[in-house]
Amino acid sequence: MKQHEVTQIQPLLDGKGCVNEPGWARSLVWQYDRKKIKAPKYRIKEWDYYLITNDHFGAAFTISDLGYLGMISVSVLDFDNAWHHTETVLVPLTMGRLRLGSHSDYGNANFKNSRVHLKYSMVFDRRKIQCHFKNFKDKQDLNAEIWLLQKPAESMCIATPWADKPKAFYYNQKINCLPASGCIRLGEEQWRFKPEDSMGVLDWGRGVWTYDNTWYWGTGSGWIDGVPFGINVGYGFSDRTSASENVIFYDGKIHKLSDVTLCIPQDMDGNELYTERWQIVSSDERLEGDFIPIFDRSAKTDMKIIMTDQHQVFGRFNGKAVLDDGKVLDIKDFLCAVEVVHNKY
C-alpha cells in the first residue's frame, strides 16, 4: 500500500466537493468546511468520541451528528469484572444542529435534554468532559468530570474518498496517549482516573459516507517501560490506496505501518467468535501478536433500510511492535479495544 504523507495545509475539499489530496498526516493539515460539502445535509456525518481507560476500568462518551439522526452515548467499562453498561439517547433530524466543530483543538460540544447533559470543552490546552446522565443504571444517575491533560506532538490523521463515490469522504483524527484525570460516579460507586495510570483517545471524524459499509478499528493507549505508547489500526472504510491509518504511537511520535489485519476466529459456519482469541498481523511484520478478549460490547439495530451491527471488543494484546529505527518493543497484557461495525444508513 502506498503511504502518501500530506504536509501542506490546505482545504479538505476542492470546488467539486472531492478530497484535494488524499493521504495521511501527523496533524489536521486539511481544513474542514461543512459548507463546501457537495451532499445533502442528511448524508453528512460528524462525531467526537472519547475513550478513557486504565488497566481496571474505563468510560466512553459520544456526541455524533449523523445527519438524519443524532446520537449521544455513554458507557462505563469494568475490566476486572468483565462488566459494562451503555445508555444512548437518539435525536431525530439533527443535520448539523449539534454544531460540532471544524477542528478538534477549537470545537467545543454541548448537548442537553431532559435526561442527559454531555459537554466537551477546551480549557487552554486541556480537554474537559462533563456528563450528567439521569437514570443511567438501576435508577441511579451517572456523573462524570474528566480532564485530558496534554496533547502529544503528533496524531494520526487521514483523508480518503470512496473509489466509486468521489464526493463521499472520510476525514478522521485519532489522538492517542492523552493522560487522564477525574472520576465517574454511579450512585454510591466511584471510579477515579489518575494521570499516572489512565489515558484517553479522541476519535474525531467528519465525512460523507456511502450507504453500506463495514469498518475495522483498533486502539490502545498506555505505557511501555514508562514511555507513552499507543496503537491505531483501521481499514475496510473508504479507498485506502493512498494511505492506511495504521500507526504506532511512541513518546509522542508516529511510526507508520502498512497493512494490518484483525484475524477474528470463526466457527464451522463462518460466524465470527468475537470473544475467542484473535490474531493481529501486519504486512510489514511490525505489529503482530494475540488479542485476548475480556468482553464484547455489542449492539444491533435492524430496521431494514437502516441497520447497524456493532461489536467493540475490549481485551489485552501480547506481541511485538517495531519502531521506525528497528527497535522492537515487547508488549504484554496491553489493554486495547478492537471493533467491527457494519452500517447501512
Side-chain angles (χ1 to χ4, degrees):
M1 176 183 288
K2 182 180 178 182
Q3 299 294 334
H4 176 60
E5 182 176 359
V6 179
T7 59
Q8 182 178 352
I9 296 175
Q10 59 188 282
L12 171 65
L13 303 176
D14 63 18
K16 297 180 180 179
C18 302
V19 176
N20 258 317
E21 187 178 357
W24 75 280
R26 300 172 194 268
S27 63
L28 288 179
V29 297
W30 297 275
Q31 298 168 326
Y32 177 75
D33 185 349
R34 184 182 173 96
K35 296 177 182 178
K36 292 187 176 181
I37 297 175
K38 305 298 183 181
K41 289 182 179 180
Y42 64 84
R43 299 298 304 166
I44 301 174
K45 319 297 183 190
E46 300 176 331
W47 69 96
D48 292 9
Y49 168 82
Y50 285 99
L51 173 65
I52 302 96
T53 60
N54 57 33
D55 274 344
H56 304 286
F57 54 85
F61 303 89
T62 304
I63 300 179
S64 62
D65 187 332
L66 304 176
Y68 66 90
L69 185 71
M71 184 177 71
I72 315 302
S73 183
V74 177
S75 299
V76 175
L77 315 160
D78 183 339
F79 307 124
D80 289 341
N81 298 298
W83 171 88
H84 60 93
H85 186 77
T86 299
E87 289 291 324
T88 301
V89 170
L90 302 178
V91 184
L93 300 175
T94 46
M95 292 191 288
R97 289 191 292 112
L98 299 188
R99 298 187 181 277
L100 297 179
S102 60
H103 195 289
S104 64
D105 284 352
Y106 313 125
N108 298 331
N110 189 9
F111 177 86
K112 185 176 183 179
N113 69 2
S114 60
R115 189 175 179 209
V116 60
H117 185 193
L118 179 55
K119 181 180 180 180
Y120 305 152
S121 53
M122 294 293 298
V123 183
F124 298 104
D125 61 345
R126 299 189 299 166
R127 299 171 188 272
K128 186 179 184 181
I129 302 169
Q130 296 168 281
C131 181
H132 175 67
F133 210 123
K134 294 181 181 179
N135 191 20
F136 183 79
K137 185 178 186 295
D138 299 331
K139 298 183 179 180
Q140 299 179 104
D141 294 352
L142 179 140
N143 291 282
E145 181 172 306
I146 299 168
W147 292 85
L148 300 175
L149 302 180
Q150 69 240 26
K151 180 181 175 181
E154 298 180 352
S155 58
M156 192 298 302
C157 303
I158 188 169
T160 48
W162 267 259
D164 56 340
K165 298 283 186 180
K167 293 180 183 179
F169 66 92
Y170 169 68
Y171 184 29
N172 186 240
Q173 179 186 38
K174 305 291 196 325
I175 307 177
N176 283 58
C177 300
L178 292 161
S181 172
C183 70
I184 304 168
R185 293 184 179 88
L186 178 60
E188 298 299 318
E189 197 162 4
Q190 177 175 292
W191 297 268
R192 183 167 293 278
F193 297 105
K194 297 181 290 185
E196 60 266 29
D197 66 12
S198 306
M199 279 189 174
V201 58
L202 168 61
D203 173 9
W204 183 94
R206 306 292 184 262
V208 173
W209 307 345
T210 53
Y211 171 68
D212 188 347
N213 290 284
T214 299
W215 76 71
Y216 300 79
W217 177 44
T219 185
S221 294
W223 291 264
I224 299 291
D225 297 327
V227 179
F229 169 84
I231 58 174
N232 184 85
V233 299
Y235 61 94
F237 197 57
S238 75
D239 179 7
R240 301 298 174 93
T241 55
S242 61
S244 78
E245 65 176 86
N246 305 318
V247 299
I248 296 167
F249 301 92
Y250 189 71
D251 201 15
K253 299 291 186 179
I254 279 180
H255 299 255
K256 193 73 183 66
L257 304 175
S258 188
D259 294 332
V260 174
T261 303
L262 304 175
C263 302
I264 309 168
Q266 297 181 342
D267 63 17
M268 296 293 290
D269 297 321
N271 300 307
E272 286 83 3
L273 303 173
Y274 291 103
T275 56
E276 300 294 325
R277 182 189 299 259
W278 302 25
Q279 285 189 317
I280 298 177
V281 298
S282 59
S283 60
D284 50 17
E285 300 182 349
R286 291 182 54 192
L287 182 69
E288 300 197 323
D290 292 334
F291 175 72
I292 303 170
I294 299 171
F295 57 71
D296 175 14
R297 193 179 71 86
S298 62
K300 184 173 183 178
T301 301
D302 189 352
M303 296 183 287
K304 304 309 178 185
I305 296 176
I306 297 173
M307 188 280 293
T308 179
D309 187 3
Q310 305 179 18
H311 294 268
Q312 185 181 43
V313 183
F314 289 86
R316 301 190 186 276
F317 177 68
N318 292 273
K320 71 171 185 178
V322 182
L323 305 182
D324 288 345
D325 62 4
K327 181 179 180 178
V328 180
L329 303 178
D330 185 24
I331 307 171
K332 295 181 180 179
D333 296 328
F334 187 74
L335 185 79
C336 298
V338 294
E339 68 179 37
V340 181
V341 178
H342 180 200
N343 287 327
K344 292 182 179 180
Y345 52 55

